[in-house]
Amino acid sequence: MLELETSSVSVFENLESNVRSYCRSFPIHFCHAKGSLLQGENKKEYIDFLMAAGSLNYGHNNDYIKEQVLKYISNDGIIQGLDMYTQPKEEFISYMNETLLKPRGLDYKFMFCGPTGTNAVEAALKLARNVTKRTGVFSFMGGYHGMSLGSLSVTSCDSHRNASGVDLNNVTFIPYEDGYLKNFDSLNYIEALLNDTHSGASRPAAIILETVQAEGGVFAASKEWLVRLRQICDKYEIILICDDIQVGCGRTGTFFSFERANIQPDIVILSKSVSGYGFPMSMLLFKPELDIWKPAEHNGTFRGFQLAFIGGKAALEYYHNSNLEETMVSKSAKIERVLRDEIAPLNSLIEIRGIGMIWGIDFGKFNDVSIPGKITRRCFENGLIIESAGRKDTVIKLLPALVIDDETLDRALKILKEAIAWQLEQITTN
Ligand SMILES: Cc1ncc(COP(=O)(O)O)c(C=O)c1O
């Protein structure tokens, strides 16, 4: 049998495309993972504050979810079923409807897309355009919605957009609440675009947003702003699309991120943690009156990955049975306390933002954009995997598992604080 050299990263560096990204920050082999911990081939343990970019909210190899998946596999359950009727899909839909949607007064149809987040974003944009017979979409500066052409057109980051090779049209970008522009009333601006006969903008099919911009640098919209946005969409009959791919599934403290404002989007996009176990899955939930799809108008081979349905139902069971929303409260408070009381005072230029279990430490006011990278590298050396996001990657983004235990959380925050203090010390001594 061919012996593979497993301990070298040179295979990747020599043979895998330059397009690879996360591995550049963490250039070792990873082999085991449990809960909030990853193990490298060097047997070194790393606390994971990236959690596969938010696709493992319930931890690596969550015992309960694993048990359901293994049971299903050992019974030779169908694994790939296109969009045919299967028991795992039926159970997932029924369980989510009964335990998650109905108690929240949400009346939505389910649509499975295939199988990455960006594909569901494509489907949402298509649907909104076909329902309204309008072409334009409003999106927000700092928003991230994926890499395929439709999703890229509503994603703001220029380095991603420039790689598209074609014009990305029909989108108007609006400043996010308290984002790049402080104290700018974006919603007044939207109303001006819609009312002023000289605005140059047509009424859009949809407004798409993340209620917390994650890749954009952790900006959380206020409840009041979200309520007003919903009212504007109602008034002008614009479809409100909430991209909950990264900040749904409990990340902000409630299952859906928009719950805090008590609003109902017309279309909700879920992916990442919805399958519970890191399995690829993406889906839309939308108001029944929008369901004008004709059969097969948005198809995809891998919409039928049954393990994602098994994992997804098990994840919801776990979510309810482990009282995750309650147990998260003290963890979120601890993170906020350490960031505000111990890390922010290290330098007055540091800004802290966040909600629930997503937090950002913004170094954008320092005139050296290399600072966050040096801090995350130091964290990695000391056993913490954490990435930066936002404009010029100046925001260190904390994305721990929702189920992280207190001791591990304390340890991670200590590593982070030490790395920041170390880097700030270097700046002042140089
Ligand atoms: C808010 C949001 N939308 C869409 C996407 C795209 O999802 P995927 O990478 O699975 O295509 C992401 C990925 O990070 C995301 O965070």
Side-chain angles (χ1 to χ4, degrees):
M1 201 169 81
L2 190 64
E3 282 289 316
L4 286 180
E5 189 193 353
T6 56
S7 58
S8 164
V9 294
S10 63
V11 168
F12 307 107
E13 284 166 3
N14 293 334
L15 294 175
E16 194 182 356
S17 160
N18 287 333
V19 80
R20 62 196 194 283
S21 110
Y22 294 105
C23 55
R24 295 175 187 272
S25 307
F26 315 110
I28 60 157
H29 277 240
F30 292 98
C31 31
H32 291 286
K34 190 74 188 164
S36 288
L37 300 179
L38 274 170
Q39 201 183 68
E41 211 174 35
N42 50 7
K43 295 276 181 275
K44 186 166 167 180
E45 226 167 49
Y46 297 86
I47 302 171
D48 194 351
F49 259 33
L50 178 58
M51 297 311 294
S55 55
L56 291 165
N57 281 3
Y58 315 115
H60 289 275
N61 289 304
N62 177 292
D63 281 332
Y64 178 73
I65 306 174
K66 181 165 78 177
E67 203 183 312
Q68 310 313 310
V69 170
L70 290 178
K71 213 185 293 174
Y72 184 76
I73 292 178
S74 65
N75 283 333
D76 283 341
I78 180 168
I79 296 296
Q80 152 64 311
L82 300 173
D83 71 354
M84 290 193 276
Y85 299 146
T86 61
Q87 196 173 350
K89 183 150 83 167
E90 180 187 351
E91 289 185 0
F92 173 76
I93 292 175
S94 305
Y95 191 78
M96 186 183 254
N97 194 40
E98 290 302 318
T99 65
L100 203 66
L101 303 190
K102 280 193 185 167
R104 289 162 175 75
L106 297 168
D107 179 17
Y108 285 140
K109 278 208 154 185
F110 288 66
M111 172 174 172
F112 297 100
C113 309
T116 59
T118 193
N119 191 266
V121 174
E122 298 287 345
L125 296 173
K126 264 193 208 174
L127 184 59
R129 286 177 164 132
N130 286 326
V131 166
T132 60
K133 307 273 183 278
R134 294 175 223 138
T135 49
V137 172
F138 286 2
S139 185
F140 289 95
M141 289 161 64
Y144 181 84
H145 299 287
M147 287 284 147
S148 49
L149 288 183
S151 310
L152 203 48
S153 73
V154 288
T155 291
S156 60
C157 168
D158 57 3
S159 63
H160 292 319
R161 294 173 67 84
N162 292 344
S164 69
V166 294
D167 290 337
L168 300 168
N169 292 327
N170 297 314
V171 180
T172 305
F173 282 93
I174 312 284
Y176 198 70
E177 188 193 23
D178 214 14
Y180 184 72
L181 293 178
K182 303 283 175 213
N183 304 318
F184 179 84
D185 192 334
S186 311
L187 301 183
N188 264 358
Y189 180 60
I190 291 180
E191 289 230 64
L193 288 178
L194 296 171
N195 281 323
D196 182 1
T197 52
H198 282 56
S199 75
S202 317
R203 186 155 55 117
I207 298 181
I208 184 168
L209 91 156
E210 303 155 87
T211 75
V212 181
Q213 289 191 333
E215 298 303 310
V218 191
F219 290 93
S222 68
K223 290 181 201 177
E224 299 70 31
W225 193 84
L226 292 169
V227 168
R228 243 183 96 203
L229 181 64
R230 175 68 272 184
Q231 285 164 351
I232 290 172
C233 287
D234 286 340
K235 183 168 162 194
Y236 296 94
E237 296 181 344
I238 296 165
I239 289 176
L240 180 62
I241 304 174
C242 175
D243 180 344
D244 242 1
I245 289 176
Q246 186 160 157
V247 298
C249 301
R251 178 59 61 189
T252 61
T254 50
F255 190 87
F256 296 107
S257 71
F258 52 83
E259 285 178 58
R260 70 179 186 279
N262 200 19
I263 58 163
Q264 296 192 358
D266 301 299
I267 304 179
V268 181
I269 313 175
L270 292 175
S271 186
K272 292 198 191 268
S273 283
V274 73
S275 71
Y277 208 69
F279 295 138
M281 179 180 198
S282 80
M283 59 183 283
L284 298 185
L285 297 166
F286 52 76
K287 295 194 170 159
E289 60 271 24
L290 301 184
D291 194 11
I292 61 156
W293 289 114
K294 296 190 186 69
E297 263 186 339
H298 191 85
N299 245 342
T301 304
F302 284 107
R303 290 170 302 152
F305 183 40
Q306 304 298 304
L307 296 186
F309 298 124
I310 296 284
K313 175 170 177 259
L316 287 175
E317 288 168 340
Y318 179 80
Y319 190 87
H320 299 306
N321 297 338
S322 56
N323 292 323
L324 215 46
E325 291 188 5
E326 278 161 46
T327 58
M328 257 189 288
V329 173
S330 64
K331 292 172 199 181
S332 168
K334 175 179 290 196
I335 298 174
E336 180 168 14
R337 189 191 60 70
V338 172
L339 297 193
R340 292 201 192 285
D341 298 350
E342 299 182 31
I343 290 181
L346 294 174
N347 191 298
S348 60
L349 295 179
I350 292 175
E351 259 181 39
I352 305 293
R353 292 186 296 273
I355 181 172
M357 296 292 274
I358 175 164
W359 287 87
I361 309 172
D362 194 337
F363 293 88
K365 284 191 183 154
F366 290 76
N367 58 10
D368 177 357
V369 293
S370 71
I371 291 172
K374 289 180 184 153
I375 295 170
T376 52
R377 213 161 11 240
R378 171 92 168 181
C379 286
F380 180 56
E381 282 160 18
N382 291 333
L384 175 66
I385 289 180
I386 188 165
E387 261 290 21
S388 47
R391 291 161 177 91
K392 300 194 174 130
D393 280 331
T394 53
V395 182
I396 295 184
K397 185 172 72 161
L398 287 72
L399 215 58
L402 310 187
V403 298
I404 191 167
D405 63 81
D406 278 336
E407 185 271 326
T408 310
L409 183 56
D410 287 340
R411 216 153 30 95
L413 292 171
K414 203 167 155 209
I415 295 172
L416 181 59
K417 183 180 158 190
E418 186 279 333
I420 294 171
W422 165 83
Q423 177 55 29
L424 296 177
E425 176 75 28
Q426 303 254 309
I427 298 173
T428 47
T429 49
N430 282 340

